[in-house]
Amino acid sequence: MLRRIIIGLTFLLAGASAWAQSPFEQIHGDVLRKMEASRIRRASGPGMMLAPQPTANQLLFDVQHYDLNVAVNPTTRAVEGTVQATIKSLTAALGAIDLDADVVLTILSVRIAGGEALSWTRGANLLTVNLPTPLANGGIVTIEVSYTGNPTAAADPGLFFTSAGSNPLVYSLSEPWSARAWWPCKDYPDDKATFDIYLAVPEGIQAVSNGTYIGSQSETHWGAAYRNYHWREDYQMSTYLASIAATVYTRLDDRFVYAPGDTMPITHYVYPGLVSRAQTDFNITAPALSFFSSILGLYPFINEKYGVALCSIGGGMEHQTLTSYGGSLVTGTHYYDWVYVHEMSHQWFGDMITCKNWVHVWLNEGFASYCEALWFEHLQGAAKLKSYMEGKDHVSYWNGPVLRNPNNPDQWYYFDNVVYDKGAWTLHMLRHVMGDSTFFHAFKDYATDPRYRFGTAETNDFRAVCEAHHGSSLGWFFNEWLTRTDRLTYQWSHKAYALNGGINLTVVVDQLQDSLYTMPVDLRITSTERVVDTTIWVDERHNEFHFFFGAEDAVQNVAFDPGHWILSTDNEVTTDAAALPSAVFLDQNFPNPFNPRTVIRFGLDAPSTVRLDVYDARGALVNRLVAGRLGAGVHEVSWVGTNERGESVASGVYFYRLSMGRREITRKMILLR
């Protein structure tokens, strides 16, 4: 989740640890270099103006398993390694295999694992391996690639060399498409595999990674003593989540008790100087795992572990089972719990269920951002949920819609604030549209759906799960909030007046943005006798709603969206100084049905010559209520169910029509005697 790294630039300015602050320039030099490389790449011409896309060949095979064995040299920033990729053919005759491999990697050899050498060619950031005989559909082959290189020279570096105090520090950060910068692979989020990861590092530092620790052994690299650490990830994992981190660590152990007698290890790898602070900050791990397991289903990687490995990023990165976490965030004050729970919730959304492509990255980041809010709601209640979500309303920092443009070459574009904040708001609003019970059932069912668990999903997959629970289409909602960039802006007012022996409350809501939204909006009406909570459906340019109270029940206050469940700007206009209508409108009469009197309201955005006529069901004119020139504003007319001669008309369906030259608006009303 790269946005958290950018935020980290601010974090460190106020960082609580002098030890963590000291390498500030080097820490964020790595990240800023990655950003600058993207900027240069965008300006380098049309040949670089697309985000990486799979080749046609890469659509014909699936990588089942990676056996990655890499040694790192912290002094020269070089790597040497081999990767064995076990590949399953998805076509009748797979004759070649395309692997992503940045130009900074030098390919030494390619062979069938344990067997014959294979011919290969190099293209731009691509390695094409020719198979000796075509592989049939469903056939399996394991190829082995040996390579060396300097990943930090890549345009999109995925491996970083820095220091933690006086100790060398090496860590990976491959999101979204930088794994190819330090090992050849099929580097797209929809291709998930199991892993054996071997990381050889100089003696004296420790290497940690995804999954389960298997063991280590002594080796020699670059003429020096090394130790090779072996980790195994038995759950399917995308390449960008494969992680290595190495420095001098102190291990902090705990247990997650998820059932009577059943536990899972919690393992944190922290800098020795931050042990005390880490013990405080990370004491939320087991409670948070328990909470998210209760609302999302059991922690997905329960047979392995969860923990963090400290490194020099300014935020966190949700590497599967072992989050990379910035040492600057460890303060001993729980100040950055929001970052911690964000990364933890990614184990469900992002790691277990991965966005099928980066267009749908909000399924990772928006979901994790909303999980932050759910955690604080769990601890502190509804008021905290409301204030936390209000803190995510930063529209001026949002670039484009939540669903990303796949043709944008800038990797930072895919992690714009809009994906996090508006993505979280989309879930927040969806929760209110569906209702808490229905929403959380759908939320959990999506997270536990076998079609997506340990696989991938796109937005329509999540939408389908929600619609199955909601019982009707939610296309109107998803299309509005995921594809649009404008700001929903309401202008509303209310007025109470005597009518038919009681009090009529009229609430008027106008939408001011160019294109209309459709949203249910909560109202809280407070009168001398009661509090009424109700919901209105706002889907037109001008909307009017009527509520009837007894004569003794005076309306004291009306609150619009009192729980702030809608991402919008709400402007209340006093009834004594109402703004002019933004467009001509004709409201539904009130009351309807009626007997004997009803009120018809209409609005003019400019002075106009108008007629307001009533017709019967046959189309015959019954009464002309208005004829002449009226000023701009809102106008009210009463009809008492009579014709032009003052005679009462029969019960039935009638139509009233507002006419202005060639423009007409017609509505239906019912008179019941």
Side-chain angles (χ1 to χ4, degrees), residues 33 85 111 150 189 221 229-230 281 333 338 349 386 463 495 536 548 594 622 668:
R33 182 176 178 282
R111 65 180 62 251
N150 185 341
H221 294 272
Y229 292 84
H230 178 195
D281 281 353
T333 64
W338 64 276
F349 302 123
K386 179 174 179 287
R463 172 182 160 184
K495 181 178 181 180
I536 56 178
F548 195 73
F594 67 96
V622 174
K668 179 173 66 175

Side-chain angles (χ1 to χ4, degrees), residues 86 93 320 389 550 598:
T86 300
Q320 192 160 302
M389 291 307 300
T598 191

Side-chain angles (χ1 to χ4, degrees), residues 316-390:
M317 176 61 210
E318 64 275 13
H319 293 131
Q320 192 160 302
T321 74
L322 189 68
T323 288
S324 295
Y325 196 74
S328 60
L329 307 183
V330 182
T331 65
T333 64
H334 288 288
Y335 188 82
Y336 296 112
D337 283 0
W338 64 276
V339 181
Y340 189 88
V341 297
H342 179 109
E343 305 306 335
M344 176 185 287
S345 65
H346 265 310
Q347 301 300 308
W348 284 265
F349 302 123
D351 295 9
M352 179 186 69
I353 302 177
T354 307
C355 62
K356 190 169 293 184
N357 56 59
W358 298 112
V359 171
H360 303 279
V361 68
W362 85 284
L363 296 176
N364 297 11
E365 301 300 351
F367 280 51
S369 295
Y370 194 51
C371 283
E372 300 166 23
L374 296 180
W375 170 250
F376 289 111
E377 178 188 25
H378 166 67
L379 294 180
Q380 301 179 44
K384 179 62 176 180
L385 172 69
K386 179 174 179 287
S387 66
Y388 197 84
M389 291 307 300
E390 288 171 342

